[in-house]
Amino acid sequence: MPKTSDAAAESTAEPIMLELVDESGRTIGTAEKLSAHVAPGRLHRAFSVFLFDDSGRLLLQRRALGKYHSPGVWSNTCCGHPYPAEPPFVAAARRTAEELGVAPALLREAGTVRYNHPDPASGLVEQEYNHLFAGIVRDTPRPDPAEIGETAFVTPAELDALREKAEFSAWFMTVLDAARPVVRELTGPAAGW
């Protein structure tokens, strides 16, 4: 499958469809991507990936300025939406490769979290049933500039310092906190997550 950015995909004639779900995560239909994010939002399936290097540092991305939703803010390694009927694990691996140009050396499920986060800047709403994944990355990221403006590996202390001075996605702390039990198992106590 050729690599496409959100912006390029949005401009094509074929709409990007998402899976709508109920509160238990069961599929109940589909909706076009942007329409699912228009306030008040429609509950849909999503995923969030947290990749760490062998030292236990988290790979963050700053979303490209051209993104229609939450441009220029820092966020977790990768996030997105499975296509209808696409398993979340497959979607997480696919988008990590498309956005960052890397394949995780290890990727494991880290639970699910349901949230409703409005984005004041765009007026869009993240009404998501989010599948979480945590893993290890050993390759150097080669980000797609249409998707990612910048990357950084951070320790917990460096993350706290960055959060003091930079804007993060509305969902970042919700998904990180939900994934922490598996993140701690993966990175070990010395990493401090």
Side-chain angles (χ1 to χ4, degrees):
M1 173 177 275
K3 184 162 49 168
T4 61
S5 69
D6 274 356
E10 296 297 328
S11 68
T12 63
E14 186 87 17
I16 297 173
M17 302 301 288
L18 308 182
E19 268 187 2
L20 299 178
V21 298
D22 66 15
E23 293 292 335
S24 300
R26 288 186 296 260
T27 302
I28 58 171
T30 60
E32 186 276 326
K33 182 179 178 181
L34 187 55
S35 73
H37 290 87
V38 173
R42 298 176 73 188
L43 185 59
H44 59 275
R45 193 174 312 284
F47 65 83
S48 290
V49 177
F50 297 88
L51 295 180
F52 298 82
D53 66 11
D54 286 322
S55 301
R57 297 180 305 160
L58 172 60
L59 175 58
L60 296 177
Q61 68 157 279
R62 188 175 57 79
R63 294 167 61 87
L65 293 175
K67 300 284 277 184
Y68 76 93
H69 185 2
S70 302
V73 302
W74 287 94
S75 199
N76 49 293
T77 308
C78 181
C79 55
H81 307 92
Y83 295 128
E86 181 182 29
F89 186 93
V90 172
R94 173 180 56 80
R95 286 302 292 161
T96 299
E98 290 171 354
E99 289 189 13
L100 289 153
V102 296
L106 169 74
L107 189 65
R108 62 184 274 205
E109 294 182 6
T112 59
V113 63
R114 194 264 195 247
Y115 55 79
N116 176 357
H117 286 300
D119 175 33
S122 68
L124 299 174
V125 177
E126 291 291 358
Q127 187 83 252
E128 293 186 333
Y129 187 91
N130 198 307
H131 297 259
L132 308 171
F133 300 94
I136 302 295
V137 63
R138 295 196 172 107
D139 296 330
T140 301
R142 296 177 318 279
D144 176 353
E147 297 288 340
I148 298 173
E150 185 177 353
T151 61
F153 281 97
V154 297
T155 65
E158 291 166 341
L159 174 61
D160 291 343
L162 184 58
R163 287 185 61 229
E164 290 290 321
K165 64 182 183 180
E167 187 179 357
F168 274 72
S169 63
W171 61 87
F172 176 75
M173 285 309 300
T174 300
V175 293
L176 176 59
D177 287 343
R180 275 187 203 271
V182 171
V183 165
R184 288 180 182 133
E185 287 177 21
L186 187 71
T187 61
W193 293 102

